[in-house]
Amino acid sequence: MTTFFNLVLAGLTFGAIYMLLALGVVLIYRVSRVVNLAHGAMGVLAVYVFHYVFLQSWGLPVGLAFALTLVVGAVIGAAVERVFIGPVRRDGVLVMLIMTVGILLLLTESALQVWGPDQPVVASIFSGRTVRFLDTGVTFHQMGAAGLALSLGALLAWALNRTRFGKAIEAVAEDADAAYCIGLPVRTLTTVTWALGGASAALAGLLFIHMNSLDPISLTFVLMPALVAAVFGGFASFGLAAAGSLVIGVVYALSQGYTTVAGMGDAVVFVVLIGALLLNPAMRRTAALRMEF
Amino acid sequence: MGSRPLATVLPAGVLMVVIAACGAAPDVRTEVAERRANDFAGVQSGGLPAAGPGAPDRADPEIDLGQPVDGGRAGDAAAAPSADAGQPDTSRQLQAGSQPSGERPDGAEAAAAGATDTGVGADVIKIGGLYFNGSWLDKYSQVAEQAASAYFRFVNDRGGIHGRRIQFITCDTAATVSGTQGCIRKLVEEDRVFALGPSLDFNLDTVVSYVERANVPWLGSSGLYDQEFASPLIFPTQLAGGDMGAIATTFVAQQLDARTIGVSWNTQPPGPACFERVQAIAPSQGMQVVVDANNGQTEADLSGQVIRIRGANPDVVLMCNDPVNIVKFIQAAGRQGYTPPVGWIGAYTHADDVPQAIGRHGIGFYGLSSFDHYHSDTAGVREYLAILHHYFPRSFPHIYSQAAFAGARATVDALEAAGPELTRERFLAHIGTMTAFDSRMGLVFNFGDRAAQQATGIVFQVNEDLEWRQVTDRFTAVRP
């Protein structure tokens, strides 16, 4: 039983990373109706700036560098929207989706070209000390990541469901022309939303990469389960996406701990997704409506 | 409307300023720029120094290498494409429609002056190499490629082999099956190499039969697959995965006095072979494998595997993983506050960046190497470092860089021994006589009787400065 609880705890802590990514994906989807496959690469690029520019080159304190990195993430998100997504917005979802693949490759290769293939360990604003819990350990970094993920999820849910800003974003997503006609600043709203998505990607990158090492493609692999979690939320609900992220984290950890079949963790995650879609018609309808590609 | 261009350009401009202007630290920028500029340039060294009595002996570690060169070029410019995306990825073996065409020189080529076989001209010998440079382990393959290139250039700069210089043509496989198969076909059928040489690549098991049908010798493959060691044409210059597992198990039994082992192993070769050998040897050494947990190449987190192994509480955790997953395992263990009671050891770890990436939770972790420590003061290691850094001043040494260098040396020795009338038959015949090829870095290869290959190695430990400290002399692993 101890092993079981330990695996659940490990899954929850890692599910928090999935949650951060899923929230950003859902946020961008809600305004642009595109699944941003470059989300992980945007976060990784920001972390490269954090490590090589803010810490190594400029010698900034970690806390200040951390905050500036969120700004960099926002700038990356805004730039991606303005330079790449905005111009093809009217060409349809498929074109935008392919564009995100191109952005993914561009950002990944750019990081590699500028900073090289080294994979250093990056700093965290949280302590690496371990707290004993249920016969296992959890670091302050992991607890901080979970706290930030939950806080961000609550903040986004409130902002998008309870404020005029959220309603405006929904209006833009439903019909950009109509939103423009009633006086909404469509382009600005879209860019701001991508900036928020970029900042959340940077946050996810900072928190995840500290637990591994800086690698241009690492966060892209983590994005896959986060996309599954976003499907749980129909690419619309922050709450369901957050819950889905935690479920996926736990399922993945249990698969790692209780099976000896290679790749079983990934397989089980997708089996759970298929099962959920089959057993829950409402979710299937939502996903079908939302996933326009 | 007037604000739209500005609004479009401004974020992009800020982004470019952050990345490009303030970007990498100057030294990093310079290094990367040089490396990238040179990575895909040719290895042809232009005018060759005259060979003759005055030419120094290649094997002399005290050799004067002259002035450092321009930072080095690792591969042939025309021969380093990305993985061939057009190749099918549906089969593990390269077969239908891939009948090699380069096994013999055609009439015109044979008639050319000095052409004695495919890939051999009057003044050139073409050698091919595969590297997974476009992959998650690219930092290691790039420097392995540099090590092999450095030795070939060193030989070229001293007159080559019987008046012929070596043209080392490399190909980036991106660690994909289609990449490896596409690269092999390109090297054999388009570049028409004489032989394949030092390489560091996955998926070589999928091209063994193709290489054999093409009758292309391969000296210096990376040895990640058992099929390489079984082929009559392929001669790795690294120990097999099973041998690495045997060395680690021998150390655990004889030095750590452990009774129970937990094994973390990667499902990609050589992980399975390493794990199987651990299971085979452990009982004879009075030990028992009480738990194992496998991992894939790109798993983001190994917390579950750590918990699984912790649950069985083995004395020692033995890892048959690539360095990236060893780092992930120990990082995950650190987050849980777990350290095995007696110790832990990893088979593929011998590079300076590994203990630094592991961090302080890895202090005391054991790693092993089949070659002498690349910082040791032996003649062979001094020679390796001198030549490597002469041509590639910023290259860093590690276990597979040493293997590539040894592969280049073995290739040159065999080419020289085959004589000026170089043919694949002569080349292979000489390889068969190399029953005690001394890598000059501790490891001795028996290419003539590979079943008799001695699995020897050295064990290191991560010290307080997060550096490898040698803790054993070279020892021989027990056999199953």
Side-chain angles (χ1 to χ4, degrees), chain A residues 6 14 53 76 82-83 112-113 115 117 119 121 130 132 135-137 139 142 211-212 222 252 256-257 260 262, chain B residues 7 12 15 18 22-24 32 35-36 136 267 294 298-301 304-305 307-308 310 328 331 334-336 357:
Chain A
N6 288 344
F14 214 73
V53 179
I76 292 171
R82 284 282 170 169
V83 177
L112 201 60
Q113 292 291 338
W115 289 291
Q119 298 172 2
V121 176
T130 299
R132 301 299 300 175
D135 194 34
T136 185
T139 63
Q142 287 176 297
M211 296 194 289
N212 287 270
V222 185
Y252 196 87
Q256 282 183 325
T260 55
Chain B
L15 178 62
V18 169
C22 307
V32 171
R35 186 191 313 151
R36 294 292 167 181
W136 62 96
T267 54
N294 62 46
T298 54
E299 289 193 47
D301 176 58
Q305 284 92 334
I307 292 168
R308 176 180 172 81
R310 277 179 55 202
K328 286 180 183 173
Q331 287 177 336
R335 291 195 292 272
Q336 296 172 24

Side-chain angles (χ1 to χ4, degrees), chain A residues 131-245:
Chain A
V131 178
R132 301 299 300 175
F133 184 72
L134 288 176
D135 194 34
T136 185
V138 181
T139 63
F140 281 102
H141 176 88
Q142 287 176 297
M143 290 189 287
L148 285 174
L150 290 171
S151 302
L152 181 67
L155 184 65
L156 287 175
W158 173 79
L160 294 184
N161 296 325
R162 306 285 182 192
T163 67
R164 290 174 59 84
F165 172 70
K167 288 183 171 56
I169 285 180
E170 192 60 27
V172 171
E174 290 294 333
D175 190 333
D177 290 334
Y180 186 79
C181 286
I182 63 171
L184 288 175
V186 174
R187 293 293 285 139
T188 302
L189 280 170
T190 305
T191 304
V192 167
T193 308
W194 273 81
L196 290 173
S200 77
L203 181 61
L206 286 165
L207 297 174
F208 168 72
I209 290 172
H210 171 73
M211 296 194 289
N212 287 270
S213 54
L214 187 50
D215 175 347
I217 58 172
S218 58
L219 208 55
T220 296
F221 285 113
V222 185
L223 182 64
M224 296 307 148
L227 288 177
V228 175
V231 171
F232 272 105
F235 281 93
S237 167
F238 289 109
L240 284 176
S245 300

Side-chain angles (χ1 to χ4, degrees), chain B residues 113-353:
Chain B
T116 56
D117 204 335
T118 301
V120 183
D123 60 356
V124 70
I125 303 169
K126 292 182 181 178
I127 302 293
L130 304 181
Y131 293 89
F132 48 62
N133 287 341
S135 76
W136 62 96
L137 290 170
D138 55 2
K139 63 185 293 188
Y140 298 113
S141 67
Q142 287 173 8
V143 293
E145 180 182 348
Q146 289 172 347
S149 295
Y151 192 76
F152 288 142
R153 292 177 66 180
F154 170 73
V155 171
N156 287 343
D157 287 348
R158 276 147 187 81
I161 299 170
H162 302 301
R164 298 183 178 105
R165 64 186 168 78
I166 295 172
Q167 184 182 4
F168 188 42
I169 307 172
T170 60
C171 190
D172 176 11
T173 69
T176 63
V177 173
S178 59
T180 297
Q181 296 183 348
C183 278
I184 279 280
R185 290 183 62 167
K186 176 188 173 298
L187 292 169
V188 171
E189 298 176 23
E190 294 178 24
D191 298 314
R192 299 177 67 79
V193 296
F194 168 73
L196 294 159
S199 300
L200 179 51
D201 193 22
F202 292 120
N203 305 309
L204 297 191
D205 58 325
T206 70
V207 296
V208 168
S209 62
Y210 176 85
V211 168
E212 291 175 354
R213 288 201 309 278
N215 192 35
V216 180
W218 193 342
L219 180 49
S221 72
S222 39
L224 298 175
Y225 298 83
D226 286 346
Q227 290 92 331
E228 296 172 59
F229 295 89
S231 170
L233 295 184
I234 303 177
F235 304 89
T237 45
Q238 180 57 280
L239 292 181
D243 288 338
M244 298 297 258
I247 294 169
T249 310
T250 301
F251 172 77
V252 167
Q254 297 179 358
Q255 300 293 321
L256 301 185
D257 200 25
R259 291 290 171 267
T260 56
I261 307 177
V263 182
S264 167
W265 57 283
N266 193 291
T267 54
Q268 176 89 2
C274 173
F275 174 45
E276 287 168 14
R277 190 69 65 85
V278 174
Q279 287 179 302
I281 291 178
S284 69
Q285 301 298 302
M287 299 187 297
Q288 183 183 3
V289 176
V290 292
V291 65
D292 73 279
N294 62 46
N295 53 77
Q297 286 288 17
T298 54
E299 289 193 47
D301 176 58
L302 298 184
S303 295
Q305 284 92 334
V306 172
I307 292 168
R308 176 180 172 81
I309 287 179
R310 277 179 55 202
N313 194 30
D315 293 337
V316 167
V317 175
L318 192 155
M319 300 179 212
C320 293
N321 295 331
D322 65 75
V324 172
N325 276 1
I326 283 177
V327 170
K328 286 180 183 173
F329 188 95
I330 296 178
Q331 287 177 336
R335 291 195 292 272
Q336 296 172 24
Y338 168 67
T339 305
V342 175
W344 40 15
I345 183 169
Y348 295 92
T349 53
H350 201 52
D352 280 345
D353 59 343

Side-chain angles (χ1 to χ4, degrees), chain B residues 15 27 54 107 114 179 273 312 329 355 361 365 375 411 414 431:
Chain B
L15 178 62
D27 56 334
F329 188 95
H361 192 72
F365 175 74
H375 292 314
T411 300
I431 293 174

